[in-house]
Amino acid sequence: MVLSVKEKKWMDSVIKEEEVRRYMDGEYDFIDDEEIWSKLLSNRSPDKKRIEDILQKSLAIETLTPDETAALLNVEDPELWDEIFRVAGEVKKKVYDNRIVTFAPLYCSNYCVNNCLYCGFRRENLREKRRKLSLEEVKEETKVLAGEIGHKRLIVVYGEHPLSDARYIADTIEAIYSVKVPTRNGFGQIRRVNVNAAPMSIDNLRLLRDVGIGTYQVFQETYSHELYAKVHPEGTIKHDYRWRLYCMHRALEAGIDDVAIGVLFGLYDWRFEVMGLLYHARELEKRFDGIGPHTISFPRLMPAAEAPFVQETRYKVSDEDFKRLVAVLRLAVPYTGLILTARETADIRRQLIPLGITQTDASTKIGIGAYSENYDEQEIERQQFIIGDPRSLDEVIRELAEMGYITSFCTAGYRCGRTGDRIMKLLRSGKEGRFCKLNAILTFREWLDDFASEQTRHIGEQIIEKEIEEVKMQVPENYSETVFNELLKYYERIKNGERDLYF
Amino acid sequence: MGKETSTFREFSELAFEIKRKYGIGLQLVEIIGSRWSFVAGEEDEESFLPPERIRVAKRFGIVSACWSRLPDFEKERILTVVKRYDER
């Protein structure tokens, strides 16, 4: 597909070289491919004692060094891996308690000027049906998500194109926040809008900040400089590795203090990519007073229309290695949220959740307009890729409850100053997990009353009872008597139809 | 590269003093749509009580779990400082 003059002109205006250079150390960025390989090589065959020491450091919620992370990645002993998996789950519980946060993606536009070899949105994919939602259509999608399914948190997704520029993104965020829908016992509303969109300039990021964005999420896709250049063809915006690499620096400078990073696993060696994510997290911590990534995502490459690299890659990640990389991420950056999406099958999700996952999506549809148009078949011409777990939110929540987890719809943190370096300190000290526990109980109660099937409501109430009992058991060590009594009062108020009460 | 702490030094010092005198944590936040973004302040020790959100001016607010426990004259001092930030 040939680019129009308007598209070309717009593309030329996107990258601001000065907004890359200002963060760089001379000619070098913070990803040194050779250094990563050398760390992976020099930490081969780590002994058991060293691994146990590293696990203790993770349990103290300290970010690991590259050498320590490389040592974990080089473990071969299956028993030691079992120990790593166990401790990863323990670290998650310590930081985030027993809750899993759910969200849904909302794809607003699939126009794209880029041509990434693994992506269904690539501009040369002529089979893709292109569409951009109007603001009215965005509201219609939101009504279904917030009023029928019961989501409180979205990740909105856009291709990179002048039709879906920063102004459009900001307008869609405002449109989503404006929707309030009556439900069985209260009302439904999206309370946190996170954004997955292309890297932007500081001025454009300020536009997003000013409409109350939740988290700004950009995946580097691969940290390998060489492979990055290959799969993001020359002449596209995305070809510029460093414009993408430093977008979180710009976001933080623009005042968006919750940022999220990720890798598309399967493009390159998974151990290298985990190291890349670690280097990225450490760079942000170093530059921004301890603020690291709010979340890390690790999608695996999935079939997509007209995406040649999906068949070509030598680096597809096996299920076993996938479990390992998730556990190592949990241990290497212990404070961060880990997002597992419906790209994966239900079976894989069941296996991964105990390894430190904090967030997952459900009732997921990734076709443009798919929620309000109510079509359930996956259509590769309308989607970026094919999803592996199309189960409803109700089904996913029921299964999580059967596994012993409470689903949380909490969006309190960013609405009461638990952001930036403050949230980082609260996470590292384990205090945020105590807020998580209380808010999970309250928001889960809301959802059960407003949206749950009878079957899910039944098991959900058992989980709530167990969680309230656990809070009670933690008085006075972790919670005061006053806090426990406040929890019970808030809980009753929510049962009586009040909404959006939080700690 | 983080928030310009010198800009908010007066609030930070005041929050430190309040914490020392009353054991109450105060956080200054910047209000950006539904986001109340942390700027400066002190943590409550182990309270975990529901946060009170006080919108002081268009751009800035206070979050504290124990705001109502503060004497009125202290509240006034705090509000005066925060209002000045909004005027800048």
Tab-separated table of all heavy atoms in Angstrom, chain A residues 177 209-210 212-214 257-258 287-289 414-417 419 421-422 426 431 434-435 478 483 490 502-503, chain B residues 1-3 5 27 29-30 32-39 42-51 53 59 63:
chain	number	residue	atom	x	y	z
A	177	TYR	N	-14.305	7.843	29.678
A	177	TYR	CA	-14.573	8.260	31.068
A	177	TYR	C	-15.981	8.862	31.233
A	177	TYR	O	-16.525	8.883	32.329
A	177	TYR	CB	-13.537	9.292	31.524
A	177	TYR	CG	-12.195	8.715	31.967
A	177	TYR	CD1	-10.996	9.281	31.541
A	177	TYR	CD2	-12.130	7.628	32.841
A	177	TYR	CE1	-9.763	8.776	31.951
A	177	TYR	CE2	-10.902	7.111	33.248
A	177	TYR	CZ	-9.723	7.692	32.809
A	177	TYR	OH	-8.512	7.183	33.221
A	209	ARG	N	-1.693	12.869	29.297
A	209	ARG	CA	-1.651	13.085	30.750
A	209	ARG	C	-2.824	13.965	31.191
A	209	ARG	O	-3.477	13.703	32.185
A	209	ARG	CB	-0.325	13.755	31.118
A	209	ARG	CG	-0.103	13.908	32.602
A	209	ARG	CD	0.937	14.969	32.883
A	209	ARG	NE	0.361	16.301	32.672
A	209	ARG	CZ	0.550	17.330	33.472
A	209	ARG	NH1	1.309	17.199	34.542
A	209	ARG	NH2	0.023	18.498	33.210
A	210	ASP	N	-3.088	14.993	30.402
A	210	ASP	CA	-4.096	15.982	30.803
A	210	ASP	C	-5.526	15.433	30.796
A	210	ASP	O	-6.419	16.064	31.350
A	210	ASP	CB	-4.005	17.230	29.910
A	210	ASP	CG	-2.741	18.025	30.206
A	210	ASP	OD1	-2.089	17.737	31.232
A	210	ASP	OD2	-2.392	18.921	29.409
A	212	GLY	N	-6.133	12.399	31.978
A	212	GLY	CA	-6.200	11.422	33.058
A	212	GLY	C	-5.907	9.987	32.643
A	212	GLY	O	-6.541	9.044	33.121
A	213	ILE	N	-4.917	9.813	31.792
A	213	ILE	CA	-4.487	8.466	31.394
A	213	ILE	C	-4.081	7.659	32.636
A	213	ILE	O	-3.553	8.216	33.610
A	213	ILE	CB	-3.289	8.582	30.407
A	213	ILE	CG1	-2.810	7.200	29.929
A	213	ILE	CG2	-2.153	9.339	31.008
A	213	ILE	CD1	-1.642	7.284	28.957
A	214	GLY	N	-4.339	6.358	32.593
A	214	GLY	CA	-3.858	5.487	33.666
A	214	GLY	C	-2.387	5.185	33.455
A	214	GLY	O	-1.517	5.934	33.893
A	257	ASP	N	3.207	9.235	35.320
A	257	ASP	CA	4.168	8.543	36.187
A	257	ASP	C	3.890	7.055	36.368
A	257	ASP	O	4.517	6.403	37.194
A	257	ASP	CB	4.348	9.254	37.541
A	257	ASP	CG	3.043	9.669	38.155
A	257	ASP	OD1	1.999	9.245	37.645
A	257	ASP	OD2	3.060	10.410	39.146
A	258	ASP	N	2.965	6.484	35.581
A	258	ASP	CA	2.828	5.031	35.538
A	258	ASP	C	3.109	4.584	34.105
A	258	ASP	O	2.321	4.884	33.194
A	258	ASP	CB	1.415	4.594	35.931
A	258	ASP	CG	1.106	4.889	37.401
A	258	ASP	OD1	2.050	4.864	38.214
A	258	ASP	OD2	-0.061	5.157	37.723
A	287	ARG	N	17.104	6.724	36.493
A	287	ARG	CA	16.877	8.090	36.007
A	287	ARG	C	15.741	8.809	36.717
A	287	ARG	O	15.683	10.032	36.708
A	287	ARG	CB	16.533	8.061	34.520
A	287	ARG	CG	17.623	7.634	33.611
A	287	ARG	CD	18.616	8.767	33.405
A	287	ARG	NE	19.518	8.431	32.326
A	287	ARG	CZ	19.562	9.078	31.172
A	287	ARG	NH1	18.771	10.101	30.967
A	287	ARG	NH2	20.401	8.709	30.249
A	288	PHE	N	14.778	8.062	37.238
A	288	PHE	CA	13.547	8.699	37.724
A	288	PHE	C	13.259	8.359	39.182
A	288	PHE	O	12.138	7.962	39.529
A	288	PHE	CB	12.370	8.328	36.808
A	288	PHE	CG	12.522	8.866	35.413
A	288	PHE	CD1	13.055	8.061	34.417
A	288	PHE	CD2	12.194	10.171	35.103
A	288	PHE	CE1	13.229	8.546	33.131
A	288	PHE	CE2	12.372	10.669	33.824
A	288	PHE	CZ	12.892	9.864	32.828
A	289	ASP	N	14.249	8.537	40.016
A	289	ASP	CA	14.054	8.412	41.472
A	289	ASP	C	13.382	7.102	41.876
A	289	ASP	O	12.459	7.097	42.693
A	289	ASP	CB	13.205	9.576	42.010
A	289	ASP	CG	13.846	10.917	41.769
A	289	ASP	OD1	15.083	10.956	41.720
A	289	ASP	OD2	13.124	11.909	41.612
A	414	TYR	N	-4.301	5.272	41.444
A	414	TYR	CA	-3.956	6.478	40.693
A	414	TYR	C	-4.954	7.609	40.943
A	414	TYR	O	-4.754	8.725	40.490
A	414	TYR	CB	-3.830	6.143	39.201
A	414	TYR	CG	-5.044	6.366	38.356
A	414	TYR	CD1	-5.066	7.366	37.381
A	414	TYR	CD2	-6.177	5.583	38.513
A	414	TYR	CE1	-6.173	7.572	36.598
A	414	TYR	CE2	-7.282	5.778	37.733
A	414	TYR	CZ	-7.287	6.770	36.779
A	414	TYR	OH	-8.396	6.977	36.004
A	415	ARG	N	-6.033	7.299	41.678
A	415	ARG	CA	-6.999	8.363	41.994
A	415	ARG	C	-6.802	8.928	43.388
A	415	ARG	O	-7.557	9.788	43.831
A	415	ARG	CB	-8.420	7.830	41.820
A	415	ARG	CG	-8.714	7.497	40.358
A	415	ARG	CD	-10.143	7.064	40.152
A	415	ARG	NE	-10.420	5.785	40.771
A	415	ARG	CZ	-11.628	5.414	41.177
A	415	ARG	NH1	-12.641	6.238	41.053
A	415	ARG	NH2	-11.817	4.231	41.711
A	416	CYS	N	-5.798	8.408	44.102
A	416	CYS	CA	-5.566	8.975	45.438
A	416	CYS	C	-4.059	9.102	45.718
A	416	CYS	O	-3.626	8.928	46.854
A	416	CYS	CB	-6.273	8.165	46.509
A	416	CYS	SG	-5.754	6.472	46.613
A	417	GLY	N	-3.316	9.410	44.680
A	417	GLY	CA	-1.910	9.757	44.885
A	417	GLY	C	-0.970	8.584	45.078
A	417	GLY	O	0.211	8.791	45.374
A	419	THR	N	0.896	6.869	43.160
A	419	THR	CA	1.473	6.821	41.813
A	419	THR	C	2.972	7.081	41.920
A	419	THR	O	3.486	7.422	42.990
A	419	THR	CB	0.864	7.918	40.903
A	419	THR	OG1	1.280	9.193	41.421
A	419	THR	CG2	-0.643	7.867	40.859
A	421	ASP	N	6.825	7.574	42.327
A	421	ASP	CA	7.776	7.025	43.303
A	421	ASP	C	7.060	6.581	44.581
A	421	ASP	O	7.526	5.695	45.288
A	421	ASP	CB	8.927	7.993	43.599
A	421	ASP	CG	8.465	9.375	43.985
A	421	ASP	OD1	7.360	9.770	43.590
A	421	ASP	OD2	9.225	10.075	44.675
A	422	ARG	N	5.886	7.176	44.861
A	422	ARG	CA	5.165	6.760	46.067
A	422	ARG	C	4.672	5.323	45.928
A	422	ARG	O	4.852	4.508	46.839
A	422	ARG	CB	3.989	7.713	46.326
A	422	ARG	CG	3.281	7.373	47.613
A	422	ARG	CD	2.237	8.385	48.027
A	422	ARG	NE	1.584	7.920	49.232
A	422	ARG	CZ	0.269	7.849	49.405
A	422	ARG	NH1	-0.542	8.253	48.447
A	422	ARG	NH2	-0.241	7.392	50.526
A	426	LEU	N	5.586	1.960	48.170
A	426	LEU	CA	4.537	1.146	48.811
A	426	LEU	C	4.606	-0.303	48.335
A	426	LEU	O	4.412	-1.236	49.114
A	426	LEU	CB	3.153	1.736	48.517
A	426	LEU	CG	2.839	3.071	49.200
A	426	LEU	CD1	1.595	3.721	48.590
A	426	LEU	CD2	2.641	2.884	50.708
A	431	LYS	N	3.378	-2.643	51.554
A	431	LYS	CA	2.188	-1.943	52.060
A	431	LYS	C	1.070	-1.904	51.018
A	431	LYS	O	-0.105	-1.972	51.359
A	431	LYS	CB	2.544	-0.514	52.462
A	431	LYS	CG	3.330	-0.439	53.763
A	431	LYS	CD	3.572	1.006	54.126
A	431	LYS	CE	4.404	1.100	55.392
A	431	LYS	NZ	4.794	2.492	55.670
A	434	ARG	N	-1.438	-4.627	51.066
A	434	ARG	CA	-2.491	-4.590	52.092
A	434	ARG	C	-3.671	-3.744	51.613
A	434	ARG	O	-4.822	-4.058	51.888
A	434	ARG	CB	-1.921	-4.066	53.412
A	434	ARG	CG	-0.983	-5.107	54.028
A	434	ARG	CD	-0.436	-4.650	55.348
A	434	ARG	NE	1.003	-4.822	55.366
A	434	ARG	CZ	1.808	-4.273	56.251
A	434	ARG	NH1	1.320	-3.494	57.205
A	434	ARG	NH2	3.098	-4.497	56.213
A	435	PHE	N	-3.365	-2.650	50.885
A	435	PHE	CA	-4.459	-1.903	50.246
A	435	PHE	C	-5.157	-2.800	49.217
A	435	PHE	O	-6.384	-2.795	49.101
A	435	PHE	CB	-3.922	-0.657	49.522
A	435	PHE	CG	-3.561	0.483	50.440
A	435	PHE	CD1	-2.248	0.914	50.570
A	435	PHE	CD2	-4.545	1.153	51.148
A	435	PHE	CE1	-1.914	1.975	51.397
A	435	PHE	CE2	-4.227	2.225	51.979
A	435	PHE	CZ	-2.899	2.631	52.111
A	478	ASN	N	-1.079	-6.389	60.852
A	478	ASN	CA	-1.047	-5.648	59.590
A	478	ASN	C	-2.129	-4.586	59.458
A	478	ASN	O	-1.977	-3.641	58.685
A	478	ASN	CB	-1.159	-6.608	58.408
A	478	ASN	CG	0.108	-7.423	58.233
A	478	ASN	OD1	1.184	-7.019	58.694
A	478	ASN	ND2	-0.011	-8.575	57.613
A	483	VAL	N	-9.326	-0.065	61.001
A	483	VAL	CA	-9.349	-0.359	59.565
A	483	VAL	C	-10.298	-1.527	59.283
A	483	VAL	O	-11.099	-1.482	58.341
A	483	VAL	CB	-7.928	-0.668	59.043
A	483	VAL	CG1	-7.971	-1.238	57.627
A	483	VAL	CG2	-7.064	0.583	59.067
A	490	TYR	N	-17.752	-0.248	54.909
A	490	TYR	CA	-17.732	-0.014	53.455
A	490	TYR	C	-18.394	-1.176	52.719
A	490	TYR	O	-19.123	-0.985	51.753
A	490	TYR	CB	-16.279	0.143	52.967
A	490	TYR	CG	-15.767	1.572	52.967
A	490	TYR	CD1	-16.231	2.508	53.884
A	490	TYR	CD2	-14.818	1.972	52.043
A	490	TYR	CE1	-15.750	3.806	53.882
A	490	TYR	CE2	-14.336	3.270	52.022
A	490	TYR	CZ	-14.802	4.186	52.938
A	490	TYR	OH	-14.329	5.462	52.917
A	502	TYR	N	-13.305	3.065	48.406
A	502	TYR	CA	-12.000	2.403	48.417
A	502	TYR	C	-11.071	2.900	49.525
A	502	TYR	O	-11.295	3.948	50.123
A	502	TYR	CB	-11.293	2.552	47.067
A	502	TYR	CG	-11.160	3.972	46.568
A	502	TYR	CD1	-10.129	4.793	46.974
A	502	TYR	CD2	-12.090	4.473	45.646
A	502	TYR	CE1	-10.009	6.078	46.494
A	502	TYR	CE2	-11.973	5.762	45.163
A	502	TYR	CZ	-10.929	6.560	45.585
A	502	TYR	OH	-10.821	7.843	45.121
A	503	PHE	N	-10.051	2.078	49.773
A	503	PHE	CA	-9.012	2.416	50.759
A	503	PHE	C	-7.806	2.994	50.055
A	503	PHE	O	-7.584	2.744	48.893
A	503	PHE	CB	-8.601	1.157	51.526
A	503	PHE	CG	-9.609	0.759	52.559
A	503	PHE	CD1	-10.721	0.010	52.190
A	503	PHE	CD2	-9.466	1.130	53.881
A	503	PHE	CE1	-11.662	-0.368	53.126
A	503	PHE	CE2	-10.404	0.757	54.826
A	503	PHE	CZ	-11.515	-0.003	54.449
B	1	MET	N	15.845	14.088	37.351
B	1	MET	CA	14.895	13.867	36.269
B	1	MET	C	13.469	13.690	36.808
B	1	MET	O	12.512	13.706	36.076
B	1	MET	CB	15.317	12.630	35.480
B	1	MET	CG	14.787	12.536	34.073
B	1	MET	SD	15.439	13.714	32.923
B	1	MET	CE	16.986	12.952	32.465
B	2	GLY	N	13.336	13.476	38.135
B	2	GLY	CA	11.997	13.268	38.690
B	2	GLY	C	11.287	14.584	38.917
B	2	GLY	O	11.597	15.586	38.290
B	3	LYS	N	10.297	14.588	39.793
B	3	LYS	CA	9.569	15.829	40.063
B	3	LYS	C	10.528	16.828	40.682
B	3	LYS	O	11.436	16.463	41.416
B	3	LYS	CB	8.425	15.533	41.025
B	3	LYS	CG	7.474	14.513	40.449
B	3	LYS	CD	6.049	14.946	40.611
B	3	LYS	CE	5.181	14.100	39.862
B	3	LYS	NZ	4.217	13.573	39.498
B	5	THR	N	11.696	18.624	43.211
B	5	THR	CA	11.409	18.648	44.638
B	5	THR	C	11.589	20.043	45.239
B	5	THR	O	10.898	20.397	46.182
B	5	THR	CB	12.297	17.643	45.384
B	5	THR	OG1	13.608	17.770	44.901
B	5	THR	CG2	11.803	16.233	45.203
B	27	GLN	N	-0.221	13.919	51.668
B	27	GLN	CA	0.396	13.887	50.346
B	27	GLN	C	-0.170	15.001	49.466
B	27	GLN	O	-1.395	15.177	49.409
B	27	GLN	CB	0.147	12.542	49.663
B	27	GLN	CG	0.832	11.363	50.342
B	27	GLN	CD	-0.103	10.624	51.276
B	27	GLN	OE1	-1.267	10.423	50.945
B	27	GLN	NE2	0.382	10.239	52.442
B	29	VAL	N	-0.946	16.249	45.838
B	29	VAL	CA	-1.150	15.596	44.537
B	29	VAL	C	-1.490	16.636	43.479
B	29	VAL	O	-2.060	17.690	43.786
B	29	VAL	CB	-2.291	14.550	44.586
B	29	VAL	CG1	-1.949	13.393	45.483
B	29	VAL	CG2	-3.613	15.192	44.997
B	30	GLU	N	-1.136	16.307	42.249
B	30	GLU	CA	-1.558	17.124	41.120
B	30	GLU	C	-2.787	16.453	40.514
B	30	GLU	O	-2.766	15.246	40.247
B	30	GLU	CB	-0.435	17.223	40.078
B	30	GLU	CG	-0.771	18.187	38.985
B	30	GLU	CD	0.348	18.358	37.966
B	30	GLU	OE1	1.384	17.673	38.093
B	30	GLU	OE2	0.155	19.164	37.043
B	32	ILE	N	-5.174	15.647	37.638
B	32	ILE	CA	-5.182	15.663	36.172
B	32	ILE	C	-6.322	14.754	35.734
B	32	ILE	O	-6.167	13.546	35.650
B	32	ILE	CB	-3.840	15.137	35.612
B	32	ILE	CG1	-2.666	15.810	36.308
B	32	ILE	CG2	-3.775	15.306	34.119
B	32	ILE	CD1	-1.443	14.955	36.423
B	33	GLY	N	-7.471	15.326	35.477
B	33	GLY	CA	-8.647	14.505	35.190
B	33	GLY	C	-8.936	13.623	36.394
B	33	GLY	O	-8.962	14.089	37.527
B	34	SER	N	-9.106	12.326	36.131
B	34	SER	CA	-9.385	11.434	37.255
B	34	SER	C	-8.104	11.026	37.991
B	34	SER	O	-8.152	10.365	39.017
B	34	SER	CB	-10.121	10.187	36.757
B	34	SER	OG	-9.465	9.662	35.644
B	35	ARG	N	-6.963	11.385	37.444
B	35	ARG	CA	-5.687	11.019	38.064
B	35	ARG	C	-5.307	12.022	39.146
B	35	ARG	O	-5.287	13.231	38.890
B	35	ARG	CB	-4.595	10.968	36.986
B	35	ARG	CG	-3.180	10.882	37.520
B	35	ARG	CD	-2.181	10.758	36.388
B	35	ARG	NE	-2.118	9.393	35.915
B	35	ARG	CZ	-1.264	8.484	36.389
B	35	ARG	NH1	-0.409	8.800	37.325
B	35	ARG	NH2	-1.260	7.264	35.912
B	36	TRP	N	-5.027	11.516	40.334
B	36	TRP	CA	-4.460	12.336	41.408
B	36	TRP	C	-3.029	11.849	41.596
B	36	TRP	O	-2.789	10.820	42.218
B	36	TRP	CB	-5.285	12.190	42.692
B	36	TRP	CG	-6.585	12.939	42.633
B	36	TRP	CD1	-7.484	12.948	41.603
B	36	TRP	CD2	-7.135	13.790	43.646
B	36	TRP	NE1	-8.552	13.759	41.918
B	36	TRP	CE2	-8.372	14.271	43.157
B	36	TRP	CE3	-6.713	14.183	44.909
B	36	TRP	CZ2	-9.186	15.142	43.895
B	36	TRP	CZ3	-7.530	15.047	45.641
B	36	TRP	CH2	-8.737	15.516	45.133
B	37	SER	N	-2.129	12.584	41.033
B	37	SER	CA	-0.759	12.121	40.868
B	37	SER	C	0.132	12.643	41.999
B	37	SER	O	0.161	13.839	42.268
B	37	SER	CB	-0.266	12.649	39.521
B	37	SER	OG	0.746	11.864	39.021
B	38	PHE	N	0.845	11.737	42.619
B	38	PHE	CA	1.675	12.105	43.776
B	38	PHE	C	2.756	13.116	43.406
B	38	PHE	O	3.446	12.964	42.398
B	38	PHE	CB	2.332	10.847	44.350
B	38	PHE	CG	3.257	11.121	45.506
B	38	PHE	CD1	2.754	11.527	46.735
B	38	PHE	CD2	4.629	10.991	45.364
B	38	PHE	CE1	3.603	11.788	47.808
B	38	PHE	CE2	5.485	11.243	46.427
B	38	PHE	CZ	4.969	11.646	47.645
B	39	VAL	N	2.888	14.128	44.242
B	39	VAL	CA	3.938	15.130	44.028
B	39	VAL	C	4.948	15.100	45.180
B	39	VAL	O	6.149	15.000	44.962
B	39	VAL	CB	3.325	16.546	43.898
B	39	VAL	CG1	4.422	17.598	43.776
B	39	VAL	CG2	2.390	16.626	42.700
B	42	GLU	N	4.372	12.920	52.994
B	42	GLU	CA	4.779	11.908	53.975
B	42	GLU	C	3.727	10.810	54.060
B	42	GLU	O	2.538	11.067	53.904
B	42	GLU	CB	4.915	12.553	55.365
B	42	GLU	CG	6.040	13.548	55.484
B	42	GLU	CD	7.425	12.902	55.478
B	42	GLU	OE1	7.543	11.763	55.974
B	42	GLU	OE2	8.360	13.527	54.964
B	43	GLU	N	4.199	9.620	54.343
B	43	GLU	CA	3.316	8.453	54.437
B	43	GLU	C	2.726	8.343	55.843
B	43	GLU	O	3.391	8.684	56.823
B	43	GLU	CB	4.187	7.231	54.160
B	43	GLU	CG	3.578	6.130	53.355
B	43	GLU	CD	2.835	6.578	52.128
B	43	GLU	OE1	3.418	7.186	51.205
B	43	GLU	OE2	1.640	6.306	52.108
B	44	ASP	N	1.496	7.851	55.935
B	44	ASP	CA	0.993	7.426	57.241
B	44	ASP	C	1.771	6.183	57.637
B	44	ASP	O	2.125	5.391	56.763
B	44	ASP	CB	-0.492	7.054	57.141
B	44	ASP	CG	-1.372	8.282	57.221
B	44	ASP	OD1	-1.226	9.026	58.188
B	44	ASP	OD2	-2.169	8.485	56.290
B	45	GLU	N	1.961	6.006	58.923
B	45	GLU	CA	2.766	4.851	59.332
B	45	GLU	C	2.161	3.537	58.860
B	45	GLU	O	2.619	2.933	57.935
B	45	GLU	CB	2.982	4.864	60.844
B	45	GLU	CG	4.165	5.732	61.280
B	45	GLU	CD	5.415	5.559	60.419
B	45	GLU	OE1	5.760	4.402	60.100
B	45	GLU	OE2	6.039	6.576	60.037
B	46	GLU	N	1.109	3.108	59.516
B	46	GLU	CA	0.517	1.818	59.145
B	46	GLU	C	-0.992	1.948	59.098
B	46	GLU	O	-1.708	1.035	59.468
B	46	GLU	CB	0.913	0.748	60.176
B	46	GLU	CG	2.385	0.434	60.275
B	46	GLU	CD	2.906	-0.313	59.049
B	46	GLU	OE1	2.147	-1.052	58.418
B	46	GLU	OE2	4.084	-0.114	58.719
B	47	SER	N	-1.484	3.088	58.625
B	47	SER	CA	-2.911	3.325	58.850
B	47	SER	C	-3.831	2.486	57.952
B	47	SER	O	-4.718	1.825	58.428
B	47	SER	CB	-3.201	4.816	58.723
B	47	SER	OG	-4.014	5.072	57.643
B	48	PHE	N	-3.624	2.511	56.660
B	48	PHE	CA	-4.490	1.807	55.700
B	48	PHE	C	-5.953	2.237	55.763
B	48	PHE	O	-6.823	1.523	55.312
B	48	PHE	CB	-4.386	0.280	55.842
B	48	PHE	CG	-2.986	-0.213	55.667
B	48	PHE	CD1	-2.246	-0.621	56.749
B	48	PHE	CD2	-2.414	-0.221	54.404
B	48	PHE	CE1	-0.940	-1.035	56.584
B	48	PHE	CE2	-1.112	-0.641	54.224
B	48	PHE	CZ	-0.380	-1.045	55.329
B	49	LEU	N	-6.190	3.394	56.377
B	49	LEU	CA	-7.566	3.892	56.396
B	49	LEU	C	-7.923	4.459	55.013
B	49	LEU	O	-7.035	4.793	54.227
B	49	LEU	CB	-7.707	4.994	57.452
B	49	LEU	CG	-7.812	4.484	58.886
B	49	LEU	CD1	-7.574	5.614	59.859
B	49	LEU	CD2	-9.174	3.831	59.126
B	50	PRO	N	-9.216	4.588	54.730
B	50	PRO	CA	-9.596	5.155	53.429
B	50	PRO	C	-9.016	6.562	53.266
B	50	PRO	O	-9.064	7.354	54.206
B	50	PRO	CB	-11.121	5.208	53.501
B	50	PRO	CG	-11.495	4.218	54.539
B	50	PRO	CD	-10.375	4.193	55.528
B	51	PRO	N	-8.498	6.867	52.097
B	51	PRO	CA	-7.905	8.198	51.893
B	51	PRO	C	-8.984	9.268	51.747
B	51	PRO	O	-9.972	9.062	51.063
B	51	PRO	CB	-7.146	8.029	50.568
B	51	PRO	CG	-7.855	6.926	49.857
B	51	PRO	CD	-8.409	6.015	50.901
B	53	ARG	N	-9.787	12.735	50.093
B	53	ARG	CA	-9.244	13.537	48.992
B	53	ARG	C	-9.789	14.949	49.109
B	53	ARG	O	-11.001	15.154	49.066
B	53	ARG	CB	-9.641	12.940	47.642
B	53	ARG	CG	-9.206	11.495	47.471
B	53	ARG	CD	-9.281	11.038	46.026
B	53	ARG	NE	-10.544	11.354	45.387
B	53	ARG	CZ	-10.735	11.293	44.073
B	53	ARG	NH1	-9.731	10.932	43.281
B	53	ARG	NH2	-11.897	11.584	43.551
B	59	ARG	N	-5.679	22.736	40.300
B	59	ARG	CA	-4.611	21.822	39.890
B	59	ARG	C	-4.072	20.946	41.009
B	59	ARG	O	-3.484	19.902	40.737
B	59	ARG	CB	-3.478	22.681	39.308
B	59	ARG	CG	-2.622	21.930	38.332
B	59	ARG	CD	-1.588	22.818	37.694
B	59	ARG	NE	-0.313	22.095	37.685
B	59	ARG	CZ	0.868	22.663	37.732
B	59	ARG	NH1	0.960	23.970	37.829
B	59	ARG	NH2	1.951	21.928	37.712
B	63	VAL	N	-4.129	14.486	49.812
B	63	VAL	CA	-4.664	13.186	50.190
B	63	VAL	C	-4.133	12.869	51.582
B	63	VAL	O	-2.939	13.034	51.849
B	63	VAL	CB	-4.234	12.080	49.205
B	63	VAL	CG1	-4.697	10.717	49.704
B	63	VAL	CG2	-4.798	12.345	47.818
